[in-house]
Amino acid sequence: MRLSQLPTGHKAVIVKILGHGAFRKRVMEMGFTRDHEITCLMSAPLRDPIKYKILDYEVSLRRSEADLIEVKPLDEVAADTPRPAADERIIDCDDDIDFHHSHSHKVINVALIGNPNCGKTSLFNIASGAAEHVGNYSGVTVDSKKGYFNHDGYRINIVDLPGTYSLSAYSPEELYVRRYLKEETPDIILNVVDASNLERNLYLTTELIDMDRPMVIALNIYDELLKSGDKLDYQMLGRMIGVPVVPTVTRNGEGLKKLFDTVVDVYEGRCDDVRHVHVKLGAELEQSVTAVKDALKRDEKISREFSPRYLAIKLLEGDSEAERIVKQSSTDAASILQLRDREVKRLKETTDEDVASAVANDKYGFIAGALAETMERNERRQVTATHIIDTFVTSRLFGYPLFAILMFITFWTTFYIGQYPQDWIESGCLWLSNFIGSHMADGPLKDLITDGIIGGVGGVIVFLPNILILYFFISFMEDSGYMARAAFIMDKVMHKIGLHGKSFIPLVMGFGCNVPAIMASRSIESKSSRLITILINPFISCSARIPIYVLLIGTFFETHAALVFLGVYLLGIAVAVVTAKCLRRIVFKKDETPFVMELPPYRMPTMKSTMRHMWWKGEQYLKKMGGIILVGSIIVWALNYFPMHDKAGLSADSDAAVERVDYHTDRIDPSRDSYLEMAGKAINPVLRPLGFGWKATVAAVAGIPAKEIVVSTLGVLYTGDEEVAGEELSERLQAPSIDSCNTFNHANALSFLVFILLYCPCIATLTAIVRETGRWRYGVFAALYNTAVAWVVAFIVYRLALLF
């Protein structure tokens, strides 16, 4: 039978993986190999995907992918065949690559490598004192983080590499880790292993053993292993595999001193547990590995970069990155690849099993044998808190309502509770502006500081409390493991629009800020799904647009403010969905990566880690204040201030300024207009069909550097003062003027809201798109496509509003 047919609560044994390519490779690396027991736990609320338990951890698969796994019900399976003992699968090896260290300086370069969710980044934070984001779902660390600290007279440079299940050429994270090991050659690899999920985590360890690099294993989350009642002789395990093992608990720092003492001992060559071993594969497979390895060893350049045995195994598995390395590094690449092809053909004929499957089976056999010798399992398994919580969180009846309630609480707290500190900051900015205004002589410098700098940046920094509160909730959901469940229950919906379940996480983060949300899309293995997620993220309404919504909705739609506010957010989501479907059908037709995502156990986040993550996002926001928003505010102020013309003769009274501005028509008048006014009037014919006056056009253009600038620009154009009270600006927006096209009404206010929601992303978002995709064309596409969509939708909304 197929795994998709296994009833909920029933167990089976894996017989065969029928899929091919990336799916087959990934599931085998995650433990879906022959004779492994698997349990069907539950289906998502829409019956897809399905959650399974294998190797004491939980994973979700879509039904279409579970249908590619052949299983046999447990009651039909005969008694298990005993695994070979661990020592039968380990042989000493002294003919592989030998690394030498220069100890002239007491500096040790350490690379942290491990599976997602193993506590690697937590260890990095505690050791180095850094404040990197720690999340309880795959793909949090999407780039390397560097730090250092001193330990017993040594300076230890530590690098936190992305979480990876193996060292294959499957995902960007795996390629990044492998290339880092090739190019940087760290002194010590610190392999962080989740002690509560040893069998799956040790698969990566076997690949690191194949690479033959100096290594120490951090047996992390050791307290959970003890709580489960399992007993592990980790010292014996370390001696068997030739790698010292040190238990740690990164949540409280337990075991870290001993861990880095061991790192120093291995570096200095005084650790007795260290010896080079390799996992002995099946006889036929070993014969092929040896043949290819010997050919590689004859090329000294390749041997300097990677262990020939590791590279030989990867070549036999058909690894594209290994082939690239051989072609670039070896003068005899053609003959090596021909030898590889002959051996693959021979193995297929003699074993009737492809190499990747055989390697995964043998390595998991080695792991099972090693644990059989060193681990005593507690047979009386108790129902965990994770299972109890998931009964409600991922159920059909409660899953979506609970998600909706969590989102409502998050946004309600963000907007209503955040209003109090927001008012305090706003009052502080106003006091500072008045203080400087009353103590400085009139002139351009005073206007620059009060209107351009304090007015522009101050008008945006008031929303810092909202940003912090929003990211506090997002951080808590990430750290606890709930975000992975949200992706699980939303995968069916995301799949309908051509996206991956993991796309849901960056899209939710987009409600805070599109920039970190786009960065978070790196965790999506599928290149096409990753690109689509990046390109539709700007349609998700970020917090920078909130001041615009509050101003216009409060002014023109106060009676139905909540409905209009919700409608704006839903419109952005709808446009994102339509765009995703179009991109999937027209541009990115192939989704090459399946939905295979680990569902980590729930863990209560520490307040320290949650606050660290919240402040990290707040720090990014503040840096944005001091960068692009400051520059953008100054540019907008300068364009509106110059040329001065008759401004010197005008009274400082804002009413006089307004009277002068209102006197203007839609025709450009160089003798009276500022540069900003002239630019707005020149562009306005394009936006006039949307009901925009030139002032609205100028505000929209000014919002391209940062959407937060829109409100301050409206303040300048309608009142002559960026720090005007909200009530006065609301009155000015509605007040009839000589230039009637600049008067806002319900129709063009709604059109303006829609246009601001959908048009060109801010400069920071465009930069993130270009950086994450590696192509300028995607940034240009986002700017042009989003603006075109905004024009069309705003035009339709404006015409419909005029009718009603």
Side-chain angles (χ1 to χ4, degrees):
M1 66 182 292
R2 301 298 172 86
L3 181 58
S4 59
Q5 300 170 332
L6 186 65
T8 300
H10 287 236
K11 298 182 179 181
V13 170
I14 294 174
V15 176
K16 187 186 300 182
I17 307 296
L18 304 176
H20 296 280
F23 165 75
R24 195 164 191 272
K25 179 69 177 169
R26 170 42 53 93
V27 296
M28 286 192 301
E29 289 169 351
M30 297 183 71
F32 285 76
T33 56
R34 188 177 59 244
D35 296 335
H36 271 165
E37 185 179 300
I38 187 167
T39 306
C40 180
L41 296 179
M42 64 185 304
S43 300
L46 297 181
R47 300 188 59 77
D48 202 11
I50 308 171
K51 183 167 68 172
Y52 298 97
K53 181 178 181 181
I54 184 171
L55 300 178
D56 287 332
Y57 79 99
E58 295 175 1
V59 64
S60 63
L61 295 175
R62 290 185 184 138
R63 285 188 177 273
S64 58
E65 290 146 6
D67 198 48
L68 297 175
I69 300 174
E70 187 176 324
V71 298
K72 182 179 290 187
L74 194 61
D75 53 9
E76 299 179 15
V77 179
D80 292 336
T81 303
R83 293 280 191 183
D87 53 4
E88 296 176 15
R89 293 184 170 267
I90 301 177
I91 63 171
D92 287 317
C93 180
D94 56 5
D95 59 349
D96 276 300
I97 187 169
D98 183 25
F99 291 95
H100 300 280
H101 303 289
S102 172
H103 294 188
S104 56
H105 301 286
K106 289 191 172 184
V107 177
I108 306 177
N109 297 312
V110 175
L112 289 177
I113 299 178
N115 284 193
N117 309 314
C118 67
K120 187 167 44 62
T121 303
S122 296
L123 193 154
F124 173 82
N125 286 342
I126 294 176
S128 65
E132 297 303 335
H133 173 208
V134 181
N136 192 14
Y137 67 91
S138 174
V140 172
T141 307
V142 290
D143 205 346
S144 62
K145 308 294 189 301
K146 299 180 180 179
Y148 72 90
F149 60 97
N150 296 317
H151 182 80
D152 288 349
Y154 290 82
R155 175 189 166 107
I156 296 181
N157 297 324
I158 188 167
V159 178
D160 178 22
L161 295 172
T164 175
Y165 291 106
S166 72
L167 297 177
S168 302
Y170 173 75
S171 68
E173 288 79 14
E174 291 170 348
L175 281 175
Y176 185 95
V177 171
R178 200 156 81 178
R179 288 174 180 174
Y180 179 89
L181 294 177
K182 173 179 176 288
E183 295 165 6
E184 301 297 331
T185 317
D187 298 316
I188 303 290
I189 291 174
L190 189 50
N191 179 207
V192 185
V193 171
D194 183 351
S196 65
N197 188 10
L198 270 177
E199 197 163 355
R200 211 282 313 289
N201 277 246
L202 287 175
Y203 184 89
L204 175 61
T205 306
T206 63
E207 294 210 314
L208 293 170
I209 290 173
D210 287 337
M211 294 189 81
D212 191 18
R213 299 291 180 94
M215 183 165 62
V216 176
I217 293 176
L219 192 63
N220 198 30
I221 320 179
Y222 188 65
D223 55 334
E224 290 191 11
L225 183 141
L226 296 177
K227 288 179 183 177
S228 70
D230 292 344
K231 296 179 181 179
L232 175 69
D233 189 343
Y234 58 85
Q235 293 176 327
M236 180 180 176
L237 178 64
R239 289 192 296 269
M240 292 173 68
I241 64 177
V243 181
V245 179
V246 181
T248 60
V249 182
T250 52
R251 186 168 57 251
N252 55 25
E254 183 180 334
L256 292 193
K257 183 180 185 306
K258 170 127 179 99
L259 177 66
F260 288 105
D261 285 342
T262 306
V263 167
V264 171
D265 289 341
V266 172
Y267 178 75
E268 294 292 355
R270 54 176 183 248
C271 183
D272 296 335
D273 289 344
V274 175
R275 65 189 181 101
H276 178 58
V277 301
H278 65 242
V279 180
K280 186 176 180 180
L281 306 173
E284 294 293 338
L285 192 53
E286 276 293 340
Q287 181 180 330
S288 296
V289 170
T290 302
V292 178
K293 180 187 73 174
D294 290 344
L296 291 169
K297 286 175 66 176
R298 289 193 287 269
D299 192 315
E300 294 183 0
K301 185 177 181 181
I302 293 182
S303 297
R304 285 196 301 267
E305 294 178 341
F306 275 115
S307 158
R309 178 177 177 82
Y310 167 79
L311 205 56
I313 294 173
K314 289 299 172 188
L315 282 175
L316 289 168
E317 289 180 335
D319 188 283
S320 58
E321 180 74 1
E323 291 184 13
R324 187 187 67 82
I325 292 171
V326 170
K327 290 176 181 178
Q328 290 183 352
S329 304
S330 177
T331 56
D332 197 22
S335 63
I336 292 174
L337 294 178
Q338 287 175 4
L339 172 62
R340 185 277 310 270
D341 293 339
R342 289 197 300 271
E343 292 298 328
V344 170
K345 183 179 180 181
R346 185 186 67 82
L347 286 170
K348 184 67 175 175
E349 293 173 350
T350 57
T351 65
D352 195 29
E353 188 176 26
D354 67 281
V355 176
S357 178
V359 170
N361 282 326
D362 285 344
K363 287 192 171 183
Y364 271 110
F366 159 71
I367 294 168
L371 293 180
E373 296 286 323
T374 59
M375 190 170 190
E376 181 182 338
R377 296 187 181 275
N378 176 22
E379 297 301 328
R380 297 183 62 186
R381 296 281 179 176
Q382 297 180 351
V383 177
T384 65
T386 293
H387 295 151
I388 296 173
I389 296 172
D390 271 353
T391 302
F392 298 96
V393 170
T394 60
S395 71
R396 298 175 197 171
L397 182 61
F398 299 107
Y400 293 112
L402 283 174
F403 174 76
I405 291 171
L406 281 173
M407 291 298 101
F408 175 81
I409 293 173
T410 298
F411 288 114
W412 184 88
T413 308
T414 298
F415 300 138
Y416 288 93
I417 303 300
Q419 183 65 42
Y420 296 100
Q422 181 181 334
D423 292 341
W424 303 336
I425 296 175
E426 190 172 6
S427 299
C429 290
L430 182 60
W431 176 86
L432 181 61
S433 179
N434 292 335
F435 177 81
I436 294 176
S438 61
H439 288 79
M440 284 187 69
D442 292 338
L445 180 61
K446 174 184 173 180
D447 293 340
L448 170 63
I449 295 174
T450 56
D451 296 338
I453 297 176
I454 298 177
V457 177
V460 178
I461 201 173
V462 295
F463 297 100
L464 177 61
N466 305 84
I467 296 293
L468 292 177
I469 293 172
L470 179 61
Y471 276 111
F472 176 86
F473 280 96
I474 292 177
S475 173
F476 185 87
M477 287 188 286
E478 289 173 353
D479 296 351
S480 66
Y482 178 75
M483 275 295 193
R485 271 69 184 183
F488 170 74
I489 66 174
M490 292 300 294
D491 177 66
K492 183 77 171 182
V493 177
M494 304 305 290
H495 191 52
K496 289 287 186 183
I497 64 174
L499 287 178
H500 195 282
K502 287 186 178 179
S503 299
F504 183 71
I505 295 170
L507 293 177
V508 171
M509 294 177 67
F511 288 113
C513 179
N514 296 137
V515 175
I518 288 171
M519 292 173 63
S521 65
R522 294 185 204 172
S523 64
I524 304 169
E525 293 94 343
S526 167
K527 182 179 179 180
S528 59
S529 291
R530 184 165 64 250
L531 288 173
I532 294 175
T533 304
I534 289 172
L535 292 175
I536 69 171
N537 209 295
F539 290 122
I540 302 301
S541 188
C542 68
S543 59
R545 298 177 174 96
I546 293 174
I548 311 165
Y549 301 159
V550 171
L551 172 64
L552 292 178
I553 292 174
T555 301
F556 295 98
F557 309 101
E558 186 176 4
T559 307
H560 305 289
L563 288 177
V564 177
F565 211 100
L566 178 62
V568 170
Y569 274 82
L570 293 178
L571 177 62
I573 295 171
V575 172
V577 168
V578 172
T579 300
K581 289 185 74 69
C582 291
L583 288 173
R584 176 60 74 194
R585 289 188 177 182
I586 300 171
V587 184
F588 307 105
K589 297 181 180 180
K590 182 181 179 183
D591 186 10
E592 67 277 10
T593 306
F595 179 69
V596 182
M597 184 180 71
E598 181 182 355
L599 296 177
Y602 289 101
R603 295 188 175 107
M604 178 57 67
T606 63
M607 183 58 66
K608 184 177 181 180
S609 67
T610 303
M611 296 299 289
R612 268 181 169 178
H613 179 208
M614 181 190 75
W615 178 245
W616 179 58
K617 295 297 185 183
E619 188 179 26
Q620 286 184 320
Y621 189 73
L622 289 174
K623 287 178 179 178
K624 190 179 177 185
M625 299 299 102
I628 191 169
I629 292 176
L630 174 61
V631 173
S633 296
I634 293 174
I635 291 174
V636 169
W637 171 86
L639 290 174
N640 188 61
Y641 195 84
F642 297 103
M644 298 181 68
H645 299 309
D646 59 346
K647 289 181 182 179
L650 286 175
S651 167
D653 181 74
S654 63
D655 290 335
V658 173
E659 184 180 351
R660 182 187 68 81
V661 173
D662 282 346
Y663 180 77
H664 288 192
T665 66
D666 202 17
R667 183 178 301 171
I668 296 176
D669 183 358
S671 66
R672 301 185 65 87
D673 292 347
S674 68
Y675 293 127
L676 191 64
E677 292 166 353
M678 287 187 277
K681 291 178 178 179
I683 299 171
N684 194 55
V686 178
L687 299 180
R688 191 180 295 120
L690 312 183
F692 288 15
W694 67 265
K695 296 179 183 179
T697 298
V698 168
V701 173
I704 292 176
K707 298 297 180 283
E708 295 92 337
I709 301 175
V710 172
V711 171
S712 60
T713 303
L714 289 173
V716 169
L717 296 175
Y718 279 88
T719 70
D721 183 6
E722 286 189 343
E723 288 297 313
V724 68
E727 293 80 2
E728 184 178 343
L729 179 54
S730 296
E731 294 172 2
R732 292 291 185 183
L733 291 177
Q734 302 174 81
S737 65
I738 297 175
D739 185 8
S740 60
C741 70
N742 282 312
T743 302
F744 270 93
N745 54 47
H746 288 76
N748 59 17
L750 198 57
S751 173
F752 189 76
L753 279 173
V754 170
F755 189 80
I756 293 298
L757 165 71
L758 301 175
Y759 82 127
C760 177
C762 69
I763 297 298
T765 300
L766 288 175
T767 302
I769 291 173
V770 172
R771 185 173 63 243
E772 295 304 315
T773 61
R775 297 286 187 275
W776 278 100
R777 66 171 181 262
Y778 289 115
V780 174
F781 171 82
L784 298 179
Y785 173 79
N786 290 29
T787 303
V789 169
W791 195 97
V792 172
V793 178
F795 177 80
I796 294 172
V797 168
Y798 179 60
R799 295 302 166 183
L800 290 175
L802 288 177
L803 292 176
F804 295 102

